[in-house]
Structure formats: C-alpha cells, structure tokens
Amino acid sequence: MHSIQVTVGSSRGLHARPASLFVQAAARQPLKVTVGRPGQAPVDARSLLSVLALAAGCGETLELTASGDGAQDSLKALAELLASDLDTAA
C-alpha cells in the first residue's frame, strides 16, 4: 500500500469544481484511490459526493492511498492536481 500527503491548493478549497476535476482524474486511474484526512477513515476518490463531504479547505492536508501496480504514479498525478489552484484552471 502506498500513500502520499498533499496540501489542498485551490484557493477556495475542494468545492464543486475542483472536487469534480479531482474525481474525474481519479476515475481515470487504473486502480482504486482513496482520499481523506490523515488518521481518519478515507473515502473513494471516484465519488464526488464523498469527496465533497470532506469539506477540505485551502491549505488543508489530505492523504491519498492506493495499492497495486502503478500506485505511486497514480498518487503522484493526483497529488499534483490537488496541490494546484483548480479555481484558476481553464
């Protein structure tokens, strides 16, 4: 099992638009990825409602977890996305 911690970069947190972009990217990964606050129960990163329910704000730390072949690459790609300001993405 692999995990990575990332700081939410979107200036208004993980609200509808950034969460949707993140969930779409997670759904494209070849394996299941979970996301949550460190030390708390994670949720399926492919579930928009679950990701929105995290109510993660700007600067908050989230932990991404996955296992299997390609887990590190998947986590790195998703972490880079979460760390960027998706409120300014075109």
Side-chain angles (χ1 to χ4, degrees):
M1 174 138 349
H2 300 278
S3 66
I4 188 170
Q5 291 190 1
V6 61
T7 302
V8 175
S10 287
S11 58
R12 292 178 36 214
L14 208 50
H15 63 88
R17 183 174 187 278
S20 177
L21 293 171
F22 172 73
V23 166
Q24 290 171 22
R28 290 191 298 268
Q29 300 306 312
L31 40 82
K32 181 180 177 182
V33 177
T34 60
V35 60
R37 288 180 178 82
Q40 294 183 2
V43 299
D44 187 345
R46 299 170 297 181
S47 169
L48 182 58
L49 289 177
S50 296
V51 172
L52 284 172
L54 291 172
C58 179
E60 200 164 338
T61 300
L62 294 178
E63 185 171 40
L64 302 172
T65 306
S67 58
D69 291 340
Q72 289 179 323
D73 292 335
S74 292
L75 293 178
K76 182 180 176 190
L78 291 173
E80 288 174 1
L81 185 66
L82 270 183
S84 64
D85 188 354
L86 298 174
D87 288 315
T88 59

